[in-house]
Amino acid sequence: MRGGYTARVSDERRDVITLSAGQWDAFLDSLFERDERLDLRQEGESYRRDEAVDAYVLSGHAEALRSADVDGDVWGTLEDIEETADTEDEAWEKIVAFYLGRECVLVRVEDTEEPEEWVLGRELARRLGLL
């Protein structure tokens, strides 16, 4: 895997990628955004400071997310997919199921105090070295 991190893809589910908190940070550090396109940094290339990617920048490219750092608006996303739920956990499960059925992957970050899960399009995940 590129970027100095190795994602663990679930044996039973090819659409769930698990990263440790350190791997998540390394993943974000391996990215840059230019002209609203995310891509992987290449060794030997220089990048402007404003091309750095943090969780907030990545959120603009995610289909859905649940994060301590960025408000992913779980309830708004649930409404967008025309579903209802009684709890945030139930809402998130429905959101994940919706997107995994539509060529997306779930990136789950372990070792965090609050849930850190991101739904990314499969093609984006592939381009960023997660698949």
Side-chain angles (χ1 to χ4, degrees):
M1 182 136 320
R2 299 174 288 178
Y5 55 89
T6 303
R8 187 174 77 238
V9 178
S10 171
D11 289 334
E12 51 295 328
R13 300 216 40 193
R14 289 288 187 214
D15 48 9
V16 178
I17 299 164
T18 304
L19 299 174
S20 70
Q23 290 170 321
W24 175 250
D25 291 339
F27 168 67
L28 291 175
D29 287 345
S30 73
L31 305 177
F32 74 99
E33 182 186 52
R34 185 177 295 157
D35 299 325
E36 298 184 23
R37 177 180 163 89
L38 277 183
D39 223 325
L40 284 172
R41 293 176 181 265
Q42 302 297 317
E43 195 167 323
E45 293 285 324
S46 60
Y47 300 91
R48 296 186 322 259
R49 191 175 313 211
D50 67 349
E51 293 179 324
V53 173
D54 59 10
Y56 181 77
V57 172
L58 181 61
S59 73
H61 299 271
E63 298 297 331
L65 62 107
R66 189 162 77 154
S67 171
D69 295 329
V70 180
D71 178 12
D73 190 17
V74 169
W75 294 109
T77 303
L78 186 69
E79 186 177 312
D80 289 346
I81 65 171
E82 299 178 352
E83 286 282 354
T84 61
D86 294 325
T87 67
E88 187 171 311
D89 287 339
E90 180 186 356
W92 181 245
E93 287 176 23
K94 288 183 177 188
I95 291 166
V96 169
F98 176 87
Y99 281 106
L100 292 188
R102 287 163 177 78
E103 293 298 313
C104 292
V105 297
L106 175 66
V107 178
R108 180 174 288 144
V109 183
E110 296 179 324
D111 310 321
T112 58
E113 289 183 31
E114 295 182 42
E116 190 73 39
E117 297 183 326
W118 295 67
V119 177
L120 302 176
R122 186 173 294 280
E123 185 55 40
L124 176 63
R126 185 173 289 113
R127 187 174 73 241
L128 300 182
L130 290 170
L131 295 174

